[in-house]
Amino acid sequence: MPDDMQTDPMKLGALLLATAGHDAQAFRTLYDTASPKLFGYALRILHKRELAEEALQEGFVAIWHNAAGYNSQLAAPMTWMATVVRNKALDIVRRANAAADGAAVPFDGDVMDTIQEAAANPADQLQWSSDAQALARCMARLEGLPRQAVGLAFFHDLSHSEVAQQLALPVGTVKTWIRRSLEKLKSCLAREGLA
C-alpha cells in the first residue's frame, strides 16, 4: 500500500465509513492499509509478537463492529483505530496481571501449609502461622508480576535468569523488581512487627 494511503485521513475515513456499512472489501483494504502501523503500536505496548497479533485481531473486530461510531470531528481515523487497538492491548495486559494475581492466591496458601507442617509444637506452630500470615499480607501488597518474581526466586528457589525465562522478561527487569519488592517487604514486615 502506498505510504500516502496509510496517512491520508480522507481515504481512511472513507474506508471506515464503508466499513460501517459492512462493506467487507473496504474493511479488507482498511486492514491491509492500517494493520502494519497498528501492529507496531501494539507491539510497543505488549513486547511480544503473539500478544500484539491478538490485540490487533481484537482491535479490528471492534473496528468492524463499531465503525459506525467513528466521528471524524473528534479524531483522525488512524488516531481512532490506534485508540481501539491500544485499549485491546491494555486489556491483554490487565488479563495477564489478573492471571498473575490469581496464581498468587493458592501460592500464599501453599506457603502457609509448608510453614505449618514444619512447626515442631503448638507454640511454634502459632508463631510460624502468625509470621506466615504477616508475610502473606505483605506479599499481597506487591503488584502481580513483581510478586510472582519474588515468589519464584525465594519460594521456588529459582535464579534471576530462571525467573526471567519463566516470566519471559529481561533479566535486568527481574532483578530490579526483586530488589524493589524486597525493600517493600522489609518495610512492610517492620510495620507488622517482624524483623
Side-chain angles (χ1 to χ4, degrees), residues 11 19 30 37 66 73 83 89 102 107 111 113 134 142 153 188 190:
K11 291 179 182 174
T19 298
L30 182 68
K37 205 170 255 193
N66 299 304
Q73 302 289 329
T83 301
F107 176 78
V111 172
D113 291 343
L142 298 176
C188 179

Side-chain angles (χ1 to χ4, degrees), residues 86-101:
R86 175 186 169 273
N87 289 340
K88 296 303 177 183
L90 293 177
D91 287 346
I92 290 170
V93 169
R94 280 190 284 275
R95 284 194 303 259
N97 286 340
D101 288 347

Side-chain angles (χ1 to χ4, degrees), residues 55 76 89 114 135 191:
T114 301
L135 177 59
R191 285 192 304 272

Side-chain angles (χ1 to χ4, degrees), residues 54-122:
E54 182 180 341
L56 185 68
Q57 178 181 350
E58 289 180 14
F60 269 98
V61 168
I63 290 167
W64 172 258
H65 290 294
N66 299 304
Y70 168 69
N71 184 343
S72 62
Q73 302 289 329
L74 299 176
M78 188 58 82
T79 303
W80 182 76
M81 290 187 293
T83 301
V84 171
V85 171
R86 175 186 169 273
N87 289 340
K88 296 303 177 183
L90 293 177
D91 287 346
I92 290 170
V93 169
R94 280 190 284 275
R95 284 194 303 259
N97 286 340
D101 288 347
V105 173
F107 176 78
D108 293 342
D110 292 344
V111 172
M112 294 287 289
D113 291 343
T114 301
I115 290 174
Q116 287 176 352
E117 288 171 12
N121 60 51

